[in-house]
Amino acid sequence: MAKEEATVEELVGKIKGGDISLPEMQRRYVWTSTRVRDLLDSLYRGYPSGTILLWETNSDVPRQGLAIEQQENSSLTNRLLLDGQQRLTSLSAVIRGEPVIVRGRKKPIEILFNLDHPDNLSVVTEVNENNSEVESRIEDETDSNKDELQARIEQMAFVISTRKLENLPNWVKVSDVFQTDSDLKFLKKAGISNLEHPKAEKFFKRLAQLRNIKKYVYRLDVLEGSLSYEEVTEIFVRVNSLGVKLRGSDLALAQISSKWHGSLEKFQFFQNECEQDGFNLDLGIYLRNLIAFATGYSRFETVGRLDHQQLEEAWDESVKGMQYALNFLKSNVRIESPALLSSPYLIIALAYFGYQCNYLTGSREEDLARWVLLANAKGRYSRGSSVTILDQDLAIIREGGGAGKLLDQLRQQVGRLVIEPEELEGRNQNSALFKTMFLAFRDGGAKDWDSKIKIALDHSGTQHRLEIHHLFPKRHLKGCYTTRDMNDIANLAFIGGKTNRKIGATPPKDYFPDFITKQGKEPFEVQCIPIDKNLFESDNYKEFLAKRRELISERLNSFLGNS
């Protein structure tokens, strides 16, 4: 193995020219803008950023391009990137000012740099960037103190771009800085018109320090070309296993693709099909489903014992199982998105169930639907070792146990299947019960309080898009109640964006009477909101929560078929 060095600028140039590509074993680009921001922040501070692992070969091995535009390289002699894809793709996108390509769509990475950041940077992270589908499809009410938020952001050197921050004088686009050697337009934007300005020298130095990221030197470990694809795959798996850099699904993909060339393209094609149907799932779910169909167990450790034929046959059957599971979820339990699932492992269990009964559930259909809803509500695969729990259910299904046996197993895990009011206490919008609450309210005909449009995840337009509304605005509860109390599931309701903004931070004692006069009590009763003026007072907030938990638990139990 040879040792080399190269600057970020040199590596970005090689990627652009097509001199560096990926072997098929590599996963797709998966970094969020938050991870890119943190990488830039580390390099700006001069922190180490690991090494790069390459394989130089002229063999005709399965390969793929990076998630950014590359020139065509007609020569087979190039370097395959084994470790460093996420870092180098991110740096290429930011330095070149070009988007990354994710599943055929171009996605810009826009990061802003704070010219006026503190001299001594502390470890400060930006307000949580929501990457989960739940958060992106059901939007939370913005009710935080704006001054506190702005003060927090001003302590940072890099943030993910927003239109508001972009317009502030001391924030500049990182990609724009890399595209030019001139500082004039950035200094002018910051209000510095001459070199005598007290901040001129400091800002000059900071822009130079930012551009110096291109001069950062990576150490390259280059594997010799005489190694076979299978040997390189083994090295890839061992390096990443020891460093705990990749997930089990990534290592499994490497092993599968080394035995079954061209498999990644099949996996990604089916992944895109499912995404078009509303289920945007991580590739690891499809791989775990494949392993379950091949072995009856979901652990990736078993993939090494499978040969090409076993993998291909299991994949064909697992696709049928996945299609059955997604159709059952959408048609029989009205779960049209993974945003409404407490764990995607439910899909694997459901797919395997369909496979074992030859996709003919017959009279067991209602029992199966009830198990899905209860397992989802109770967070069946979100407790303890989720893989172990999934394997328990796969064993029940494999041995011919029906939905009744699965319900028995769930009961052993959680105790009573009935939802008690106390079970809701302290739960927030990340809870499995919150997703079930949405399903139950929608099933009961819940509507926006102004437009009367029924609640759904896929409404168009910002005025109708579903948002989470805090019945008692957090602004009026701060200082008197804990954050846990303020975000309690019993303080949350579902309404459209326009109605949410109309209410703003108005307390319920002021806005509820007007809505009730115009709309009647029914829209609020459907969402289990007690119509009692005394409970609308902030001093009675705890009593309001307790009463609403009782109403919600009754609705959930009715929806789930619990007596």
Side-chain angles (χ1 to χ4, degrees):
M1 182 168 65
K3 305 285 185 182
E4 298 181 11
E5 289 184 343
T7 65
V8 166
E9 188 172 30
E10 289 170 338
L11 290 167
V12 168
K14 290 182 180 297
I15 287 172
K16 182 177 181 180
D19 297 318
I20 294 177
S21 57
L22 293 175
E24 186 187 31
M25 69 180 73
Q26 277 276 31
R27 60 175 169 171
R28 285 173 166 173
Y29 180 78
V30 296
W31 267 21
T32 62
S33 296
T34 307
R35 295 291 300 274
V36 181
R37 176 204 68 199
D38 292 345
L39 174 63
L40 290 170
D41 188 75
S42 293
L43 294 175
Y44 179 73
R45 299 180 192 222
Y47 293 170
S49 180
T51 60
I52 304 297
L53 180 61
L54 297 165
W55 177 33
E56 187 168 20
T57 178
N58 56 6
S59 301
D60 186 12
V61 299
R63 63 189 71 199
Q64 57 179 320
L66 278 77
I68 189 167
E69 293 288 351
Q70 293 182 270
Q71 296 171 6
E72 187 174 349
N73 186 334
S74 58
S75 173
L76 282 176
T77 305
N78 68 353
R79 292 183 164 186
L80 299 180
L81 184 58
L82 299 178
D83 187 25
Q85 176 203 170
Q86 308 298 322
R87 285 170 289 162
L88 294 187
T89 302
S90 300
L91 290 170
S92 295
V94 173
I95 290 172
R96 290 163 54 184
E98 296 180 7
V100 291
I101 303 166
V102 181
R103 296 186 189 175
R105 292 193 292 268
K106 293 185 177 181
K107 173 187 172 186
I109 300 178
E110 297 181 343
I111 310 294
L112 299 178
F113 175 65
N114 183 6
L115 285 170
D116 205 19
H117 66 69
D119 291 333
N120 297 314
L121 286 169
S122 57
V123 181
V124 183
T125 56
E126 192 174 344
V127 175
N128 181 42
E129 179 197 17
N130 292 322
N131 297 309
S132 70
E133 192 174 348
V134 185
E135 307 297 340
S136 61
R137 297 292 298 277
I138 306 179
E139 299 178 2
D140 194 5
E141 170 193 24
T142 304
D143 192 30
S144 56
N145 187 304
K146 293 182 179 179
D147 293 333
E148 291 177 7
L149 179 60
Q150 188 63 38
R152 179 182 175 88
I153 288 175
E154 291 295 341
Q155 298 300 305
M156 304 177 67
F158 297 89
V159 298
I160 299 163
S161 179
T162 66
R163 188 173 300 175
K164 181 179 178 181
L165 283 176
E166 191 179 314
N167 292 328
L168 294 179
N170 57 304
W171 290 95
V172 297
K173 288 184 178 180
V174 172
S175 292
D176 288 352
V177 175
F178 284 125
Q179 295 302 302
T180 177
D181 292 327
S182 172
D183 296 336
L184 293 180
K185 75 171 184 176
F186 308 118
L187 296 177
K188 184 178 179 180
K189 180 175 185 278
I192 296 176
S193 56
N194 59 73
L195 297 179
E196 303 303 320
H197 192 284
K199 291 186 177 181
E201 184 179 359
K202 178 169 69 173
F203 286 4
F204 270 120
K205 288 182 177 179
R206 288 181 175 178
L207 287 167
Q209 185 177 344
L210 175 58
R211 290 192 184 95
N212 273 340
I213 287 176
K214 293 194 294 185
K215 306 301 180 185
Y216 179 88
V217 177
Y218 271 111
R219 194 190 83 194
L220 311 180
D221 292 332
V222 185
L223 299 178
E224 58 191 48
S226 61
L227 293 170
S228 68
Y229 190 80
E230 288 70 23
E231 288 175 306
V232 170
T233 300
E234 180 64 21
I235 292 171
F236 174 81
V237 170
R238 290 193 182 195
V239 167
N240 286 287
S241 295
L242 292 172
V244 198
K245 296 176 184 177
L246 297 183
R247 301 168 298 172
S249 59
D250 300 313
L251 301 180
L253 174 61
Q255 292 174 296
I256 292 170
S257 63
S258 71
K259 299 177 182 182
W260 179 13
H261 294 178
S263 58
L264 178 60
E265 185 177 354
K266 290 179 178 289
F267 301 155
Q268 292 177 340
F269 181 82
F270 183 58
Q271 183 184 25
N272 289 334
E273 276 192 344
C274 293
E275 184 179 353
Q276 296 301 315
D277 287 338
F279 280 81
N280 183 4
L281 299 170
D282 185 85
L283 187 62
I285 296 301
Y286 300 95
L287 298 180
R288 197 174 292 280
N289 193 47
L290 163 61
I291 300 304
F293 273 72
T295 68
Y297 299 92
S298 64
R299 295 184 182 276
F300 286 126
E301 291 87 342
T302 62
V303 71
R305 301 198 298 266
L306 302 173
D307 60 30
H308 177 179
Q309 184 176 350
Q310 289 172 310
L311 287 167
E312 192 163 4
E313 290 175 355
W315 172 251
D316 290 340
E317 201 61 56
S318 73
V319 166
K320 297 176 188 175
M322 181 71 77
Q323 290 169 334
Y324 165 83
L326 299 187
N327 287 327
F328 189 93
L329 285 172
K330 289 189 291 185
S331 301
N332 291 54
V333 291
R334 292 191 65 199
I335 291 179
E336 307 96 344
S337 165
L340 297 173
L341 289 173
S342 58
S343 169
Y345 284 6
L346 261 168
I347 299 174
I348 298 174
L350 188 54
Y352 196 66
F353 189 101
Y355 166 68
Q356 288 294 330
C357 67
N358 199 27
Y359 309 113
L360 299 172
T361 55
S363 60
R364 293 175 289 181
E365 170 203 342
E366 292 184 4
D367 290 339
L368 183 60
R370 182 166 182 254
W371 172 77
V372 169
L373 289 171
L374 278 166
N376 194 43
K378 292 288 187 176
R380 168 67 172 155
Y381 305 114
S382 304
R383 301 165 177 246
S385 176
S386 52
V387 173
T388 299
I389 294 170
L390 175 57
D391 280 346
Q392 290 174 356
D393 288 345
L394 294 179
I396 290 173
I397 297 168
R398 189 170 59 252
E399 293 164 7
K405 291 284 187 181
L406 291 172
L407 281 170
D408 290 342
Q409 188 71 28
L410 176 62
R411 192 178 288 108
Q412 287 183 24
Q413 179 193 28
V414 302
R416 299 183 66 196
L417 299 181
V418 171
I419 309 292
E420 301 289 354
E422 296 77 18
E423 196 173 341
L424 299 170
E425 187 173 355
R427 301 295 185 94
N428 57 33
Q429 66 190 62
N430 297 318
S431 164
L433 288 169
F434 178 75
K435 306 175 199 300
T436 304
M437 190 171 83
F438 169 80
L439 293 171
F441 289 175
R442 186 186 62 178
D443 185 69
K447 303 174 183 177
D448 177 73
W449 300 338
D450 239 355
S451 68
K452 290 295 190 73
I453 294 177
K454 290 186 177 181
I455 63 173
L457 291 184
D458 55 359
H459 285 325
S460 302
T462 55
Q463 65 176 345
H464 299 302
R465 189 171 295 130
L466 194 67
E467 292 188 5
I468 300 167
H469 171 63
H470 285 72
L471 298 168
F472 282 76
K474 290 183 282 186
R475 192 173 303 174
H476 292 278
L477 299 175
K478 283 184 177 177
C480 300
Y481 300 96
T482 65
T483 300
R484 183 173 182 264
D485 288 334
M486 290 188 286
N487 292 320
D488 192 281
I489 197 172
N491 190 33
L492 306 178
F494 305 99
I495 56 177
K498 183 179 180 181
T499 305
N500 199 18
R501 288 185 287 277
K502 176 181 177 181
I503 295 172
T506 308
K509 66 183 180 64
D510 293 335
Y511 73 79
F512 263 122
D514 290 341
F515 274 115
I516 292 172
T517 300
K518 295 176 183 176
Q519 312 288 15
K521 298 180 179 180
E522 192 266 342
F524 309 101
E525 290 174 341
V526 168
Q527 295 205 42
C528 300
I529 300 170
I531 307 300
D532 183 337
K533 293 181 180 179
N534 293 325
L535 295 179
F536 295 161
E537 298 289 341
S538 295
D539 291 342
N540 298 327
Y541 178 60
K542 284 294 187 74
E543 288 78 10
F544 172 86
L545 293 180
K547 180 60 179 176
R548 191 165 184 240
R549 286 190 201 108
E550 291 180 9
L551 298 174
I552 291 173
S553 64
E554 290 177 9
R555 177 64 54 81
L556 291 180
N557 286 318
S558 174
F559 175 70
L560 295 170
N562 290 331
S563 57

